[in-house]
Amino acid sequence: LKTTHFSPETAGNPLREGLSSRPMPQPCNVVIFGASGDLTFRKLIPALYNIAADGDLPAALSVVGFARREKTDEGFRKELEEAARKHSRQGVNDELWASFGNRIFYHRSEFGDLEGYKSLAARLDQLDAEQNTRGNRLFYLSVAPSEFEGILQKLASVGLNKARPGSWARVIVEKPFGTDLPSAEELNQVVNDVFSEKDTYRIDHYLGKETAQNIMVLRFGNSIFEPLWNHRYIDHVQITAAEPLGVEGRGPYYESSGALRDMVQNHLLQLLCLVCMEPPTDLTADSVRDEKVKVVRALRLMSPEEVAQNVVRGQYAAGSINGKNVIGYREEERVNPESQTETYVALKVHVDNWRWADVPFYIRVGKRLPKGGTEIAVQFKSAPGVLFNRDEAQLDPNVLVIRIQPDEGISLRIQSKRPGAALRLEPVKMDFHYGTSFGKASPEAYERLLLDAMSGDATLFARRDEVEGAWKFIDLIEDAWHQHDSPPPLCEYAAGSWGPKEADSLLERDGRAWRRI
Amino acid sequence: MTATLDTSAFGTPVEIGQISRELKKLWERENEVSTRASLINFAVYCEGAEAMRAATNLIFEFTKHHACRALLVGYEPSSPEASVQAWINAHCHLSRAGAKQICCEQISFLFEGNTQNRIPSIVFSSLDSDLPLVFWWQGEFPEEIDQQLWSWVDRLIFDSQSWSSPREQFERLNAIICANSRLTPCDLNWTRSLHLRQALAQIFDAPQHRSILDGLQHVSIGHAPEYRSTALLLAGWIAAQLKLNQQREEANGTRFIGSRGNVVTFDFKEVTGRSISKCCLASSDASVDLQRDPAGDFFRVAVHAAEGQVYNHLLPAGSNDTAELLLEEIGGGGKHRVYLRALPIAEALLESR
């Protein structure tokens, strides 16, 4: 989404006109907490480097990695260079890396050591003077949520949360944003005690994906869809996030999370919001997020009985994927052999507002499914069959599919006359592939999100009320599973299958079926 | 003429009236392993066999990035006989997804002899319906061509750097723009300075450097001898965006007056190197010096602040070859209103030394 507003700083630059249709990132120091972690090496530094290679990085910028391990600036830069060469989407240019790398620094400290923050503050002041970064600070918390409070309090203790007049201080928070509503509220409070909500950027990398951003363009930039985008013409919507991978060594994390918390609470409900929201009055961050929050608030909350009826949870057992035998979830490393954690969940959800009255949204997410892919399928009501194919029960409905990943694109299934003397109808597919139509590779989601955070554009970040609203909905399901006297069963499915048969029944009893993806 | 022209690069010769049918046959053959894609009609006009071959190579590169139907319009005015020939071929590339090839079709025409007036109708009949027409007119705009052609064009690409008589050509261009409100002029000579303009804009995104613009006294632009028009467009841009009015020629350059009565002089120096290799904006106590790195694709920018500090930056300069300029232009889009504002000033500067 290209926002139409510009940051006040760049708006006053007479040479900027016509050169960019997006807010420009401002000079700043980016401080990454947890800088020796995987995310920094695989995503954050390659993203910042790619922004520099595209010429979009502010001329004055420095990156400070804050972590516990002993390292020098030079050693840190060398490690990051190797990682960038491996993970940067456009490779690494030696000369550009030399210039970019010289702006990266390492700051060793324990997260709980106040002295480390005092010296960080001094170092940032020094960088402001040397690099002309003007006192702007972007703190990236790439650490476990349990570390948030300690880090934020220490930042506040040394005054790094307060920007000087004319400057800004922002914080980027990685998911998970809590594990339930109380913990999310607590976490949000911890963050908002130190940084105001307008300076808090909660990353959901799904929102940085090109196709997720295109949902609003598809809906509100084309006049043909929106008149049909309601309960009169739409039969139901399916949102699928499937992956063939298992937990891949992340057993302990997954044990405490499960598919519902890991994927549905954030990514899939965000996609649902983009599909269901009303048109915002403009493209400013709060206008867009106000509309998304209204969707979250309209989610029909479920009683334990309704959870049993409308939600299916499953766990993969041993099976085979792509011709290879794979173990079951309970046999995975560092997973409880009697684990009750769901690796699959299917839900039937209702959005109780005028537009979506009685339109079911079927959401499914699972690990160890036969193939990977995230997509939204909007199935329209069938046309009356009185004219064509009278001997058939029903005409195939039109289906609009938005593929989020991989093979990003949009397809529309329509009816067509089969060639010949007889009047027979066949469904055909009109298919748009990003990769076919636009040769240029899309920027990584993290590039877009980091640019937006440096520009002060929070449109693609989750707001506190969105997050808490989503947890309110999710918690009722978790409670029904774990707190109720007679919880619904955890269904088993073989790895390499499309999930438990109970998930198929969820749709079958409504006279529907999951899409084949 | 065609006796000496190697037409193998243009694909299969076809009768002009049979182009649609032949394209259909081509795609029926290719359908199993490839997908046809098209988002724009991309027409290229050029003169001479060599230019046609070069354009075909460029179209091949272009189709890697932009799905299109390409129309290559070659004109050979020196041929004694009037004739028009056509060829079709496909440019295929593996998609990022891997499996299928993505193909774009190219229809090539060679107009020989006194046939230039036939170009518009053949172009009109060969367009992929409902898609915008991007027309890259290589060389000079002719006076005698059917003006209706321009009314079909959405984006008209040209390179004012290559014009032998820029004043006359700019007049023709202005007439084309005035007569066709839908048409967006896209001067590759303007695109040539895109990275430089972006680099300067990025420096002045920082409010503390804007005092240099507010108190601007001198602008110095170093350009390769054949890129004077590029430098004039750059100067036109700076003057237009800072609302400077041209006053007169002086010994040390061209004098402009700002809205607050401040005097700004522009000077242009011929230096060896690529297009524009140097640009300096100076106020009384601070300056921005931008130099193109001769070895690489970067600008080295030094900001000399009033307080004495020097801030150095390395910013991408792009390669400025024709293919890249074309891709930048098509990828960027927009109505080029800023260009239209800079153009009259650049035209006026054509008279200066």
Side-chain angles (χ1 to χ4, degrees):
Chain A
L1 307 176
K2 299 285 187 192
T3 46
T4 50
H5 65 288
F6 284 78
S7 65
E9 289 196 344
T10 55
N13 177 4
L15 301 186
R16 178 51 70 190
E17 186 184 356
L19 287 174
S20 176
S21 58
R22 53 157 293 130
M24 293 307 295
Q26 295 144 31
C28 60
N29 288 309
V30 180
V31 182
I32 303 172
F33 287 92
S36 49
D38 197 42
L39 187 75
T40 305
F41 283 75
R42 289 196 320 115
K43 295 287 181 188
L44 301 183
I45 293 296
L48 286 167
Y49 172 80
N50 281 319
I51 298 171
D54 288 343
D56 290 329
L57 205 63
L61 177 130
S62 61
V63 180
V64 178
F66 187 114
R68 302 179 179 115
R69 290 181 206 164
E70 199 67 57
K71 278 177 199 175
T72 60
D73 287 345
E74 212 38 62
F76 187 47
R77 287 170 191 159
K78 209 166 171 48
E79 287 175 9
L80 292 176
E81 183 182 352
E82 278 171 30
R85 288 189 188 281
K86 212 152 108 188
H87 300 295
S88 160
R89 72 179 158 86
Q90 46 187 326
V92 166
N93 174 291
D94 292 342
E95 197 171 1
L96 183 60
W97 177 268
S99 165
F100 174 72
N102 279 339
R103 294 192 270 167
I104 299 176
F105 305 90
Y106 187 76
H107 191 82
R108 201 216 76 79
S109 172
E110 295 295 325
F111 293 142
D113 179 7
L114 187 61
E115 290 306 312
Y117 292 78
K118 285 179 184 168
S119 54
L120 173 68
R123 193 160 194 186
L124 293 178
D125 285 342
Q126 188 191 344
L127 286 171
D128 282 339
E130 289 170 5
Q131 309 272 335
N132 204 16
T133 38
R134 305 188 53 244
N136 293 329
R137 279 92 194 250
L138 180 63
F139 298 102
Y140 198 118
L141 302 192
S142 176
V143 294
S146 56
E147 305 278 12
F148 284 5
E149 186 168 8
I151 292 172
L152 290 166
Q153 283 178 353
K154 299 282 182 308
L155 284 175
S157 299
V158 297
L160 281 172
N161 60 326
K162 299 288 179 213
R164 290 183 223 132
S167 303
W168 48 258
R170 298 173 187 146
V171 65
I172 298 180
V173 186
E174 270 284 340
K175 75 157 196 165
F177 313 126
T179 53
D180 54 18
L181 179 58
S183 65
E185 285 174 333
E186 194 184 322
L187 195 62
N188 283 328
Q189 199 52 51
V190 163
V191 176
N192 287 163
D193 281 346
V194 176
F195 287 92
S196 66
E197 181 60 25
K198 77 172 177 49
D199 292 321
T200 303
Y201 292 70
R202 295 177 190 82
I203 275 207
D204 184 330
H205 71 271
Y206 259 55
L207 293 179
K209 289 181 184 293
E210 206 70 52
T211 28
Q213 294 168 48
N214 197 35
I215 295 172
M216 271 179 65
V217 177
L218 175 81
R219 289 188 55 197
F220 306 132
N222 296 290
S223 58
I224 59 168
F225 296 118
E226 203 49 28
L228 310 178
W229 210 261
N230 56 55
H231 66 96
R232 284 191 215 149
Y233 299 101
I234 291 178
D235 179 74
H236 73 280
V237 177
Q238 294 184 19
I239 302 178
T240 301
E243 60 177 329
L245 296 176
V247 289
E248 306 299 305
R250 291 167 69 229
Y253 163 73
Y254 210 78
E255 278 287 273
S256 65
S257 154
L260 189 68
R261 287 183 176 128
D262 186 49
M263 289 291 290
V264 180
Q265 185 274 337
N266 37 64
H267 306 322
L268 299 191
L269 287 185
Q270 284 287 348
L271 294 181
L272 176 80
C273 287
L274 290 169
V275 171
C276 295
M277 65 190 273
E278 297 299 318
T281 50
D282 56 40
L283 290 178
T284 56
D286 275 335
S287 294
V288 173
R289 297 191 297 182
D290 284 347
E291 296 306 330
K292 283 162 63 191
V293 165
K294 286 180 196 166
V295 177
V296 174
R297 288 191 187 134
L299 285 171
R300 186 184 297 172
L301 302 177
M302 289 188 240
S303 66
E305 294 72 28
E306 286 167 328
V307 169
Q309 204 174 12
N310 294 315
V311 184
V312 174
R313 56 177 174 152
Q315 189 184 72
Y316 63 82
S320 72
I321 301 265
N322 295 328
K324 285 186 183 162
N325 290 335
V326 294
I327 56 175
Y329 176 72
R330 290 178 182 177
E331 287 84 59
E332 297 276 7
E333 201 181 325
R334 293 186 292 165
V335 165
N336 180 352
E338 292 177 5
S339 172
Q340 291 294 304
T341 301
E342 80 285 359
T343 59
Y344 176 100
V345 61
L347 309 89
K348 179 182 171 185
V349 173
H350 279 95
V351 177
D352 282 335
N353 61 20
W354 188 91
R355 186 190 282 263
W356 297 111
D358 298 326
V359 178
F361 289 79
Y362 300 101
I363 299 174
R364 63 176 161 165
V365 56
K367 287 190 173 295
R368 287 286 189 225
L369 300 184
K371 64 192 263 198
T374 302
E375 64 164 47
I376 300 162
V378 179
Q379 184 161 320
F380 292 86
K381 291 181 175 169
S382 295
V386 291
L387 292 177
F388 309 116
N389 290 14
R390 295 193 66 148
D391 50 336
E392 303 285 335
Q394 209 176 25
L395 285 171
D396 281 333
N398 300 124
V399 181
L400 178 75
V401 177
I402 303 165
R403 292 186 302 275
I404 306 293
Q405 64 177 19
D407 191 20
E408 298 90 335
I410 296 167
S411 69
L412 178 64
R413 188 172 74 178
I414 58 173
Q415 294 294 331
S416 179
K417 180 184 173 298
R418 198 184 175 93
L423 186 55
R424 302 290 303 167
L425 271 64
E426 282 280 327
V428 294
K429 199 162 84 166
M430 299 198 302
D431 215 347
F432 155 66
H433 297 254
Y434 266 85
T436 304
S437 297
F438 303 108
K440 192 179 171 188
S442 300
E444 288 275 324
Y446 275 96
E447 291 174 38
R448 173 67 199 265
L449 294 169
L450 283 166
L451 262 178
D452 283 358
M454 288 187 275
S455 313
D457 182 357
T459 310
L460 300 181
F461 295 84
R463 204 168 61 185
R464 178 175 182 162
D465 47 0
E466 282 177 87
V467 171
E468 292 179 1
W471 275 123
K472 187 176 171 188
F473 173 76
I474 294 293
D475 276 3
L476 292 173
I477 301 171
E478 289 282 351
D479 287 350
W481 285 350
H482 303 296
Q483 308 293 332
H484 201 249
D485 293 338
S486 51
L490 177 68
C491 309
E492 190 180 276
Y493 64 98
S497 73
W498 272 111
K501 62 181 186 321
E502 289 82 353
D504 296 336
S505 307
L506 185 70
L507 273 75
E508 277 164 13
R509 65 172 186 249
D510 294 341
R512 301 180 176 109
W514 289 111
R515 264 178 50 75
R516 284 193 295 268
I517 68 167
Chain B
M1 174 62 207
T2 45
T4 58
L5 175 62
D6 175 10
T7 62
S8 58
F10 308 146
T12 312
V14 291
E15 283 181 44
I16 294 208
Q18 301 296 318
I19 288 174
S20 297
R21 184 177 295 180
E22 294 297 329
L23 281 173
K24 193 167 169 250
K25 276 196 227 165
L26 175 76
W27 293 119
E28 280 168 1
R29 284 199 303 271
E30 298 278 343
N31 198 33
E32 286 303 304
V33 291
S34 62
T35 299
R36 184 182 86 95
S38 184
L39 292 182
I40 54 171
N41 290 291
F42 179 52
V44 181
Y45 170 88
C46 58
E47 293 186 7
E50 192 50 48
M52 280 185 82
R53 271 194 295 274
T56 297
N57 291 337
L58 215 136
I59 288 168
F60 175 75
E61 289 301 315
F62 182 82
T63 55
K64 286 180 186 171
H65 304 271
H66 294 281
C68 65
R69 170 180 280 189
L71 305 175
L72 176 59
V73 180
Y75 181 43
E76 189 54 73
S78 59
S79 185
E81 283 186 29
S83 73
V84 184
Q85 298 172 78
W87 296 262
I88 58 167
N89 67 350
H91 298 297
C92 297
H93 312 279
L94 268 185
S95 72
R96 279 185 289 120
K100 264 197 167 185
Q101 290 197 100
I102 309 304
C103 295
C104 300
E105 58 207 10
Q106 175 177 330
I107 311 170
S108 306
F109 299 98
L110 177 61
F111 294 79
E112 293 182 289
N114 186 20
T115 52
Q116 203 175 29
N117 61 347
R118 299 186 205 172
I119 291 174
S121 75
I122 286 185
V123 168
F124 296 156
S125 66
S126 306
L127 296 177
D128 211 344
S129 58
D130 289 327
L131 295 179
L133 171 58
V134 176
F135 208 130
W136 180 18
W137 195 274
Q138 295 186 359
E140 321 249 322
F141 293 121
E143 204 170 13
E144 60 274 19
I145 199 153
D146 181 354
Q147 295 299 306
Q148 196 191 24
L149 175 65
W150 310 123
S151 68
W152 280 61
V153 176
D154 296 279
R155 299 184 78 78
L156 176 61
I157 299 176
F158 54 93
D159 189 348
S160 63
Q161 187 267 337
S162 67
W163 290 343
S164 56
S165 48
R167 175 158 293 283
E168 186 188 332
Q169 285 295 307
F170 276 126
E171 272 173 24
R172 281 187 197 161
L173 174 68
N174 284 325
I176 291 169
I177 295 168
C178 288
N180 302 283
S181 57
R182 186 173 78 168
L183 178 146
T184 300
C186 309
D187 188 348
L188 295 182
N189 205 19
W190 175 247
T191 316
R192 195 167 277 119
S193 67
L194 174 67
H195 288 279
L196 195 155
R197 286 181 281 122
Q198 281 174 333
L200 284 177
Q202 198 174 91
I203 296 301
F204 292 110
D205 278 342
Q208 72 272 26
H209 297 327
R210 249 171 257 158
S211 60
I212 298 173
L213 295 180
D214 294 338
L216 189 66
Q217 293 186 342
H218 192 74
V219 177
S220 177
I221 300 173
H223 61 87
E226 64 274 32
Y227 289 96
R228 178 172 165 77
S229 58
T230 318
L232 298 186
L233 280 170
L234 179 68
W237 170 66
I238 295 169
Q241 293 309 102
L242 299 184
K243 298 187 170 54
L244 307 177
N245 291 310
Q246 190 180 355
Q247 292 288 297
R248 61 176 178 269
E249 286 289 299
E250 292 191 338
N252 59 343
T254 307
R255 177 185 156 115
F256 283 75
I257 298 284
S259 54
R260 288 171 300 166
N262 53 313
V263 176
V264 183
T265 53
F266 282 67
D267 75 71
F268 304 92
K269 291 192 180 78
E270 288 191 0
V271 290
T272 52
R274 292 197 232 176
S275 58
I276 296 179
S277 50
K278 189 176 182 306
C279 181
C280 175
L281 283 76
S283 64
S284 62
D285 56 359
S287 66
V288 171
D289 278 300
L290 178 150
Q291 303 231 17
R292 188 169 185 137
D293 186 342
D297 294 329
F298 299 99
F299 290 121
R300 296 189 183 281
V301 188
V303 183
H304 301 267
E307 304 79 31
Q309 301 99 317
V310 180
Y311 302 109
N312 293 300
H313 306 291
L314 190 73
L315 296 169
S319 76
N320 267 3
D321 68 26
T322 308
E324 189 188 318
L325 292 178
L326 202 56
L327 294 174
E328 291 274 13
E329 179 50 52
I330 301 293
K335 297 297 281 182
H336 292 321
R337 290 191 181 91
V338 176
Y339 169 76
L340 293 174
R341 220 178 290 145
L343 187 56
I345 302 173
E347 283 185 74
L349 285 169
L350 281 169
E351 299 299 314
S352 67
R353 281 161 288 141

